[in-house]
């Protein structure tokens, strides 16, 4: 998305590189972890990055654009012994040796479950390239992350119950999963089966359950509870050198990529279905090898969204889209659709903004609890996305975008899966009411981890985020009514710093993908 309004969007010839399906997405999925890791990993046999090397398998003097560069990683422990099981979590990138090009792409890792890994790098550009493979988490740390994640109610939430008649207020602990340790008659149950959402609180001594008021996330207690779930030995798995360490590449010789001797010009097809993960960066623009992702100027964006209503649902990463569209489309005021419901905290929802000249309205709504926001906010300010989707009544010129992942990484995986299936059902009902509605669901991305504090990994590790991304793919990828905007690879090799709220280049590139599906030509 370019700021210059006089920039012309030009489609350039491109190569389409397709990796074998058997190797795509075989990086550390939930099923891979179950298959590759023993029930009790041996901490004394932990992968050690000093002894774990990367070797280029098909080493040649020259490569050509369109080839696939393959590397192998053999995991070894501190004593240099090869490991016999898999489960290590890697981050692989290919970067241009010429920094002025600012070109990079993600590598795709195959875990062979025997301590060896294959990493494939599609070659998208010409020039000298360098391989970067980072050991993010050793397999033994992955086993800990998996175990801790499946423990419910690690995060601590509180809600107030205020009775205006008696002017009494009580604060009670609340839970995002069922709690068998508390008798049912001692609970206030605010769960909603239709949305596959659980929210229960300890019943106040005096006030009725109907006096539920504000709720908040207690970060200090939550982080301490998560950290207390680990032994001292397990703690060491989340420190250097076992954490986020670059592997040494055996060969130091530069890798040169040339243009094909007999180049075949191939125009990429328009973006009409689910996007592939094969993304690469050229400058500050992310490109796709699967379909023609256009770079939208401000004028392009307004023309694309003219006469449309856009609903953005999810976490604060979707709010970034909302803020950016306000700037690009020049949205103002409160749009008509949600004006009646726009009272309350701006975080939970915004009545929306509009551009009268182009007849564009954009609305944003934050998802319901659980989420990690440390200030008090009224529980009833929030609504489940499945309920919101069921109430939308619009015509065919409507766009729905959902981004629901960042606040669910620490919860048992079944929670986000159930919530997404409820949203999927609501999307199907919406499409039945309003055929022609465009629906997009975006995946997760990498993020920062605040000076390496243990709790931030236990609650928001990139491995946890990747598992949620895999669930999003599982639920929606085969759904003909939904386009999955797969942004994971885009973040793995991004030129900017990892952040839960990425820079403008990332946000613009994410929006370019969505807009390329709405307006492919």
């Amino acid at each position: 998305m370019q700021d210059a309004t006089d920039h012309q969007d030009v489609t350039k010839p491109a190569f389409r590189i397709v990796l074998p399906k058997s190797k795509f997405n075989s990086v550390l999925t939930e099923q891979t972890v179950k298959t590759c890791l023993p029930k009790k990993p041996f901490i004394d046999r932990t992968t050690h990055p000093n002894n774990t090397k990367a070797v280029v398998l098909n080493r040649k003097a020259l490569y050509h654009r369109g080839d696939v560069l393959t590397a192998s990683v053999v995991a070894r422990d501190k004593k240099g012994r090869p490991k016999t099981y898999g489960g290590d979590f890697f981050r692989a990138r290919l970067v241009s040796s010429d920094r002025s090009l600012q070109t990079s792409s993600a590598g795709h890792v195959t875990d062979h479950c025997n301590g060896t890994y294959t990493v494939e790098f599609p070659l998208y550009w010409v020039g000298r390239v360098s391989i970067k493979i980072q050991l993010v988490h050793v397999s033994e740390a992955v086993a800990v992350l998996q175990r801790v994640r499946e423990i419910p109610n690690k995060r601590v939430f509180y809600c107030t119950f205020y009775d205006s008649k008696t002017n009494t207020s009580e604060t009670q602990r609340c839970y995002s999963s069922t709690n068998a340790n508390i008798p049912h008659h001692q609970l206030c149950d605010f769960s909603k089966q239709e949305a596959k959402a659980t929210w229960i609180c300890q019943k106040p001594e005096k006030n009725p359950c109907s006096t539920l008021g504000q709720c908040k996330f207690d970060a200090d207690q939550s982080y301490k509870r998560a950290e207390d779930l680990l032994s001292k030995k397990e703690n060491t798995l989340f420190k250097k050198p076992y954490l986020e360490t670059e592997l040494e590449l055996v060969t130091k010789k530069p890798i040169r990529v040339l243009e094909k001797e007999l180049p075949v010009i191939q125009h990429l097809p328009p973006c009409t279905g689910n996007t592939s993960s094969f993304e690469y960066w050229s400058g500050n623009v992310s490109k796709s090898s699967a379909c023609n992702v256009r770079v939208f100027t401000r004028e392009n964006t307004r023309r694309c969204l003219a006469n449309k209503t856009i609903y953005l649902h999810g976490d604060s990463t979707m709010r970034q889209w909302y803020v950016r569209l306000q700037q690009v489309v020049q949205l103002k005021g409160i749009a008509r659709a949600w004006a009646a419901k726009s009272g309350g905290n701006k975080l939970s929802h915004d009545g929306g903004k509009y551009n009268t000249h182009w007849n564009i309205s954009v609305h944003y709504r934050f998802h319901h609890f659980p989420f990690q926001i440390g200030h008090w906010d009224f529980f009833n300010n929030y609504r489940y996305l499945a309920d919101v989707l069921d109430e939308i009544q619009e015509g065919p010129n409507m766009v729905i975008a959902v981004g629901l992942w960042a606040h669910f990484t620490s919860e048992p995986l079944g929670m986000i899966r159930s919530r997404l299936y409820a949203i999927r059902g609501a999307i199907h009902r919406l499409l039945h009411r309003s055929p022609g509605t465009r629906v997009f669901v975006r995946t997760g991305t990498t993020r920062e981890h605040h000076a390496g504090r243990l709790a931030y990994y236990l609650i928001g590790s990139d491995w946890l985020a990747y598992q949620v991304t895999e669930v999003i793919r599982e639920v929606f990828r085969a759904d003909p009514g939904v386009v999955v905007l797969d942004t994971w690879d885009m973040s793995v090799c991004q030129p900017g710093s990892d952040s839960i709220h990425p820079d403008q280049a990332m946000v613009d590139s994410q929006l370019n993908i969505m807009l390329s599906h709405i307006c492919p030509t």
Side-chain angles (χ1 to χ4, degrees), residues 374-392:
H375 62 259
W376 292 101
D377 203 356
F378 286 98
F379 181 82
N380 290 326
N381 269 358
Y382 297 87
R383 305 189 60 223
Y384 295 108
L385 298 191
D387 291 341
V388 175
L389 292 172
D390 277 336
E391 292 183 1
I392 292 177

Side-chain angles (χ1 to χ4, degrees), residues 17-29:
I17 304 174
V18 181
L19 296 182
K21 288 186 177 180
S22 62
K23 294 182 179 180
F24 176 55
N25 275 342
S26 53
V27 70
L28 208 56
T29 63

Side-chain angles (χ1 to χ4, degrees), residues 22 71 151 207 327 336 343 382 459 499:
S22 62
I151 298 173
N207 295 335
Q327 299 166 349
R336 295 178 293 276
Y382 297 87
I459 286 180
S499 176

Side-chain angles (χ1 to χ4, degrees), residues 441-452:
V441 179
R442 57 154 292 193
T443 66
T445 62
T446 57
R447 63 166 301 166
E448 79 286 5
H449 293 100
H450 297 294

Side-chain angles (χ1 to χ4, degrees), residues 132-371:
K132 306 287 185 184
I133 300 177
Q134 183 187 75
L135 177 60
V136 181
H137 291 301
V138 296
S139 56
E140 293 74 18
V142 167
V144 173
L145 290 172
Q146 185 185 40
R147 172 178 63 81
V148 171
R149 182 197 62 200
E150 293 305 310
I151 298 173
N153 297 319
K154 296 180 296 298
R155 292 189 292 179
V156 179
F157 299 93
Y158 289 101
C159 289
T160 61
F161 291 79
Y162 175 69
D163 190 337
S164 59
K165 295 179 182 179
T166 61
N167 196 29
T168 58
S169 180
E170 299 176 73
T171 301
Q172 297 295 102
R173 171 86 187 273
C174 296
Y175 308 90
S176 55
S177 296
T178 56
N179 192 333
N181 297 323
I182 303 176
H184 185 73
H185 70 276
Q186 295 180 12
L187 294 172
C188 293
D189 193 345
F190 304 99
S191 304
K192 188 151 192 180
Q193 177 59 31
E194 296 85 352
K196 302 299 180 186
T198 299
W199 191 259
I200 56 176
C201 299
Q202 294 180 13
K203 185 176 290 186
E205 292 183 8
K206 300 177 182 179
N207 295 335
C209 293
S210 59
T211 61
L212 173 68
Q214 300 182 84
C215 301
K216 79 166 186 175
F217 165 71
D218 190 311
D220 291 339
Q221 287 194 50
S222 298
Y223 296 158
K224 185 178 185 306
R225 284 173 62 88
E227 291 173 345
D228 287 346
L229 294 170
L230 271 64
S231 67
K232 289 184 179 179
K233 204 166 187 179
E234 288 174 330
N235 263 268
T236 64
L237 300 174
F238 295 89
K239 298 177 181 179
K240 296 291 187 180
Y242 304 110
L243 177 71
E244 297 174 344
T245 301
E246 296 287 335
L247 299 185
E248 181 183 340
L249 190 65
V250 171
T251 178
K252 303 293 184 181
K253 295 181 180 179
I255 299 169
R256 291 184 61 195
V257 182
L258 302 180
E259 188 56 88
K260 280 185 174 291
E261 294 178 0
L262 295 173
V264 178
I265 303 301
Q266 180 181 11
H267 291 275
L268 293 175
C271 297
T272 56
N274 285 339
T275 60
S276 168
S277 287
F278 301 143
E279 306 289 341
Y280 66 102
W281 286 90
S282 179
N284 283 325
V285 178
S286 177
K287 299 187 176 183
S288 173
S289 68
C291 66
N292 178 30
V293 175
R294 301 167 57 197
V295 178
F296 282 75
T297 66
R298 289 173 181 259
E299 182 73 11
N300 293 151
T301 304
R302 294 178 196 128
R303 290 185 180 279
C304 179
L305 298 181
N307 302 311
K308 290 183 174 59
T309 301
I310 298 94
Y311 293 96
L312 305 175
H313 306 276
D315 53 41
S316 55
T317 64
M318 293 303 291
R319 185 172 177 81
Q320 283 187 281
W321 286 20
Y322 180 56
V323 171
R324 184 59 175 149
L325 285 175
Q326 287 183 52
Q327 299 166 349
V328 173
V329 185
Q330 295 181 329
L331 302 169
K332 297 179 181 179
I334 298 178
R336 295 178 293 276
W338 283 3
K341 301 178 182 178
S342 62
N345 194 322
K346 283 187 177 181
L347 173 69
S348 60
H349 56 278
D350 195 317
K353 300 290 190 296
Y354 64 94
N355 181 311
T356 54
H357 179 73
W358 292 97
N359 191 28
I360 302 169
S361 62
V362 184
H363 314 268
Y364 165 78
R365 179 176 286 274
F366 202 93
H367 65 77
H368 212 320
F369 283 87
F371 49 75

